[in-house]
Amino acid sequence: MSRIARKQQKNLIQVITIQRMWRLFELAKSEHAEHPDRSERYVQLIRSISMRNRMSIPREIKSRICKHCYAFLVPGKNAHYRLKEGYIVVSCQHCGKEMRYPYKKLK
């Protein structure tokens, strides 16, 4: 296989991987109300797909997954979102841990 064909194949695999992660994320969002355990399984699949293909999970998906217990976070159901001193603090009610994401204040 030539260098160009290998590069095209790698790009195709990356595109398919990202599509699968987004599809599983959408399924996790839609299924969480009725089957929370199923949405947890979808999060596990997202993580395994990203590790298998050595790709990072997109930021929008990563912010909705607990970094400690890998639970699917839904605001108001199993997560609290608070604004504190330039950070968005997300509290997981599964494990009780907090995650902090910085944001810029308006001047």
Side-chain angles (χ1 to χ4, degrees):
M1 186 181 292
S2 69
R3 174 182 270 169
I4 295 171
R6 192 173 298 129
K7 182 74 171 171
Q8 287 176 345
Q9 183 181 10
K10 185 176 180 180
N11 288 341
L12 180 65
I13 289 171
Q14 289 178 349
V15 168
I16 291 171
T17 301
I18 290 174
Q19 287 175 353
R20 286 180 181 171
M21 285 193 276
W22 277 107
R23 177 68 179 140
L24 286 168
F25 178 69
E26 293 298 325
L27 286 171
K29 276 201 304 192
S30 65
E31 291 288 326
H32 189 270
E34 297 171 5
H35 305 286
D37 53 338
R38 197 176 292 174
S39 66
E40 304 293 326
R41 175 67 180 145
Y42 292 149
V43 169
Q44 289 176 357
L45 289 173
I46 290 172
R47 290 190 67 241
S48 66
I49 287 171
S50 69
M51 287 188 288
R52 183 185 320 128
N53 295 302
R54 290 186 290 176
M55 291 184 60
S56 62
I57 299 172
R59 181 178 296 161
E60 295 85 7
I61 297 175
K62 193 184 286 188
S63 65
R64 297 286 299 271
I65 297 172
C66 178
K67 292 184 179 181
H68 305 281
C69 67
Y70 307 115
F72 182 71
L73 299 176
V74 177
K77 298 283 185 184
N78 62 351
H80 287 290
Y81 285 73
R82 300 285 185 254
L83 299 178
K84 288 186 181 178
E85 301 170 7
Y87 289 98
I88 299 174
V89 179
V90 181
S91 301
C92 176
Q93 292 184 343
H94 243 255
C95 62
K97 298 287 185 172
E98 291 184 346
M99 291 137 313
R100 298 179 355 159
Y101 301 105
Y103 71 93
K104 290 185 177 180
K105 291 184 178 180
L106 296 176
K107 291 183 178 181

